[in-house]
Amino acid sequence: MRFVVCGLLLLLALVLETAGVPGIAFGGVKPELMLMLTLLAAMIMPLGEAVGVGFAAGLAQDLVVGRFITLHAGVFVLVALAVGLVVQRFYRENFLVRLCCLLFGTALGEVMYLLGAASFGLSRPWTVNLWSRIAVVSIVNAVLGTLLYRPLARLYRRLLDHDELVKRTG
Amino acid sequence: MLEHILRWKVPLIILLVVIMVGTIHYTSSSRLTIGLLEGIGRDILVPFQWAFTRVQRFILQTVENIHTLSTLKERNAELEKQVKELRAEVLELRNYRRENEWLREALDFKNEREHDLLVAEVIGRSPSNWESTIILNKGFAHGVQQGMAVVTSEGVVGSVISCSRYSSTVLLIVDAQSATGGLVQATGDLVLVEGGQADRETLAARPLSRDTVVEVGDVIVTSGVSTVYPKNIPIGEVIAVEPRQYNLSFTAVVRPFVDFNRLEYVLIVLPQGNGEN
C-alpha cells in the first residue's frame, strides 16, 4: 500500500511541477518537488526504500524532460543516499537537521545535475546568477519540505501499520 | 542467499552505472524518435497536465478579473478610443489590400503559401529549473514531427524536439541548447541568436561576419537559412550591444517579443497540406 501511495504522490508532484507550479514560481524559480520528495523520503523511510523512491522520481522526471535520461535518476539516488546516511547519524526530528538536510540536499542535487549535464556537453557559465538560482531553489525546497515533513511522516507511519496488519492477517 | 546476492551486488551496480551513462550519452543530443516508455509516460500525463493547466488558468484569470474590476471604467473608455482608431486603420488597410490585389493581378503574382499552421495549447513546462521547454497537447497523431518550428503572432517560440502520440516538447529559443539563424531587419546582416543567457529571459545575437552592424532598437527576424524556421518571423529587439574581448567583435542582447511566461496557445508550422488550419 505504501508503495502505491508513494507512486501517486510522485505522479501528483510531477503533474504539479509541469502544469501547476509554473504559475506560482518564486522570482522565476519554481520548487523542485520531485527532488524534495526524494529528500523527504530519505528522512522518513529506510535507506533502501528512499533510494528506490529517488530512482523512480528521477526517472519519471527524466522521461518528461527527454534529455539526459537517467541523469536525474542517478543524481536523486546519490542525494537520497547522502541524506539518508546523514539522518542516521543525527536526530532527524530536530527542526534544524531537517531544514539543513533539505537545504543542502537540494543544493547538492542541483549542482550534481548541472555538473552531469556539463560533462555530457551542456555547460553553463557558473555565474552569480546561476548560484543565486540554486540558492533560491534550495530555500524554497527547504521551507516547503519542512512544512510537509510532519504530515508525510505521519502518513508513512499509518501506511506502515496498515501494511503490517495486512501482512499478519493475510 | 544473502551472500549470493551480495556477491552479485557490485557487478550489478557497475552494470547499472554503465547502462545509465550510455543512456545519458544517447539522449544528450537530439533524437528523431523517442522511446516507447517515454511516449507512454508522456501520454499518460497529458490529461492530468491539461486539467491542472485549466484549473490554474481559471484561478489566475479570476484573481486578475477581481484585481482589474476597480479600473474597469477607465479601461473601457480607453478601449473605446482604441476601437475608433482601429476602425479608421481597418478602412485604410482595406484600401491597401484592394490595391495590393490589383497590383498582384497586374503582375501575375502567384499567391503561394508555404506553410500550414496547427494551433496547440501549452499544457505543461519542464519540471526542472534548468531546461526551458514547454509541453503541447498535439503530437504525431496530429501531424507534428521533430524539428518543426513553433511560433505565435508575436514571434518565434522554439522548435519541437520530441513528440509522443498526443503531446510534443518544444525547446524554447531562450534555452541553453537553442541556436537560431537570425537577420538584422534594418541591414540584412546575418547573426546567430543563442539562448542560455544567465537571466533566461534574453538572447545573445552574435555576428556572422566582421562587417555586421547592430544597433540598439534593431529588430532581429529569422533568416530562413535553416530548414526549421520560415523566413522573416520576428525574434526580438536589440536592447544592448556589448563589445567582446579586445573590441574585435560584439554580442547583442536581444529581448524576445514572445513572453514565455504567459504562453497559452502557440502555432506549429507544418509543411503545406499537412495539417488543419
Side-chain angles (χ1 to χ4, degrees):
Chain A
M1 185 67 180
R2 62 182 190 278
F3 296 115
V4 175
V5 173
C6 205
L8 287 174
L9 275 175
L10 287 180
L11 180 71
L12 181 70
L14 191 61
V15 173
L16 267 175
E17 215 168 36
T18 54
V21 176
I24 50 160
F26 303 89
V29 177
K30 56 187 180 183
E32 292 268 4
L33 294 179
M34 300 297 263
L35 181 55
M36 192 182 74
L37 277 185
T38 303
L39 292 168
L40 288 171
M43 284 189 275
I44 296 168
M45 298 164 102
L47 197 58
E49 285 182 20
V51 166
V53 169
F55 187 78
L59 192 63
Q61 187 156 326
D62 281 324
L63 292 177
V64 173
V65 171
R67 225 170 17 175
F68 306 118
I69 291 177
T70 68
L71 181 57
H72 273 119
V75 167
F76 286 12
V77 163
L78 291 176
V79 169
L81 265 173
V83 172
L85 290 172
V86 167
V87 290
Q88 276 178 3
R89 289 174 180 269
F90 295 95
Y91 180 58
R92 70 182 75 186
E93 294 303 317
N94 187 306
F95 170 78
L96 273 177
V97 171
R98 287 202 307 258
L99 194 75
C100 287
C101 280
L102 284 158
L103 191 76
F104 294 115
T106 306
L108 179 71
E110 298 291 68
V111 169
M112 277 163 67
Y113 177 76
L114 289 172
L115 285 174
S119 58
F120 285 95
L122 185 63
S123 58
R124 288 177 175 82
W126 292 85
T127 55
V128 179
N129 200 303
L130 189 102
W131 284 109
S132 60
R133 283 184 80 86
I134 294 172
V136 174
V137 180
S138 306
I139 292 166
V140 170
N141 261 19
V143 173
L144 271 178
T146 310
L147 292 173
L148 284 174
Y149 176 83
R150 280 197 186 282
L152 285 179
R154 217 174 294 144
L155 177 72
Y156 180 74
R157 241 170 277 138
R158 274 188 196 167
L159 289 169
L160 211 60
D161 291 344
H162 176 269
D163 284 353
E164 191 62 35
L165 195 72
V166 170
K167 202 173 159 186
R168 282 185 188 178
T169 55
Chain B
M1 181 66 184
L2 190 68
E3 275 175 19
H4 188 70
I5 292 169
L6 281 174
R7 196 155 23 116
W8 285 100
K9 214 172 180 179
V10 176
L12 264 173
I13 290 170
I14 292 169
L15 184 71
L16 197 68
V17 169
V18 170
I19 291 170
M20 282 168 79
V21 170
T23 315
I24 296 168
H25 179 71
Y26 174 68
T27 54
S28 61
S29 51
S30 66
R31 294 168 291 153
L32 281 174
T33 53
I34 59 167
L36 184 70
L37 196 65
E38 246 179 297
I40 292 170
R42 287 187 201 180
D43 285 341
I44 287 171
L45 281 179
V46 168
F48 296 106
Q49 287 173 327
W50 180 83
F52 263 84
T53 306
R54 283 293 165 101
V55 170
Q56 188 202 195
R57 221 172 269 168
F58 172 76
I59 293 167
L60 290 176
Q61 192 73 52
T62 311
V63 171
E64 205 178 307
N65 285 348
I66 293 166
H67 193 70
T68 53
L69 213 62
S70 54
T71 56
L72 213 60
K73 212 170 178 178
E74 284 170 25
R75 211 172 138 72
N76 197 29
E78 196 184 306
L79 288 172
E80 271 179 9
K81 193 182 153 199
Q82 265 185 27
V83 165
K84 278 177 194 162
E85 284 170 4
L86 288 170
R87 268 192 191 142
E89 208 174 313
V90 165
L91 280 173
E92 201 179 337
L93 287 171
R94 273 186 191 149
N95 285 335
Y96 281 133
R97 189 169 69 184
R98 209 176 308 130
E99 198 178 300
N100 191 319
E101 279 165 7
W102 290 338
L103 289 170
R104 275 172 179 266
E105 267 176 41
L107 289 167
D108 198 20
F109 199 84
K110 281 181 186 169
N111 195 10
E112 278 185 4
R113 231 184 38 184
E114 286 177 10
H115 302 98
D116 281 333
L117 297 172
L118 176 71
V119 181
E121 188 181 354
V122 179
I123 55 164
R125 282 162 194 278
S126 170
S128 163
N129 274 301
W130 308 110
E131 277 93 17
S132 298
T133 57
I134 53 170
I135 303 160
L136 306 180
N137 68 338
K138 297 281 160 74
F140 64 76
H142 308 93
V144 183
Q145 283 169 18
Q146 194 243 12
M148 284 179 171
V150 178
V151 299
T152 66
S153 55
E154 282 94 38
V156 174
V157 172
S159 61
V160 177
I161 48 165
S162 63
C163 48
S164 65
R165 195 166 179 78
Y166 300 109
S167 73
S168 47
T169 306
V170 176
L171 185 76
L172 301 179
I173 50 167
V174 285
D175 187 89
Q177 271 195 328
S178 169
T180 313
L183 189 107
V184 185
Q185 207 174 33
T187 58
D189 289 333
L190 291 172
V191 288
L192 185 69
V193 184
E194 293 174 321
Q197 293 288 90
D199 58 7
R200 290 156 55 101
E201 281 173 3
T202 55
L203 301 158
R206 298 183 208 288
L208 291 181
S209 100
R210 211 181 288 172
D211 310 321
T212 303
V213 179
V214 180
E215 284 172 9
V216 173
D218 278 348
V219 171
I220 308 287
V221 296
T222 52
S223 63
V225 174
S226 76
T227 51
V228 177
Y229 299 104
K231 206 175 173 179
N232 280 332
I233 299 177
I235 296 175
E237 187 186 0
V238 177
I239 54 166
V241 180
E242 294 165 356
R244 291 172 82 176
Q245 215 173 9
Y246 311 118
N247 267 347
L248 289 175
S249 185
F250 63 86
T251 302
V253 182
V254 178
R255 186 194 293 130
F257 289 125
V258 176
D259 182 357
F260 297 104
N261 296 319
R262 288 176 176 269
L263 280 176
E264 288 185 12
Y265 292 92
V266 292
L267 301 163
I268 303 171
V269 182
L270 308 172
Q272 200 179 26
N274 198 15
E276 47 191 78
N277 285 309

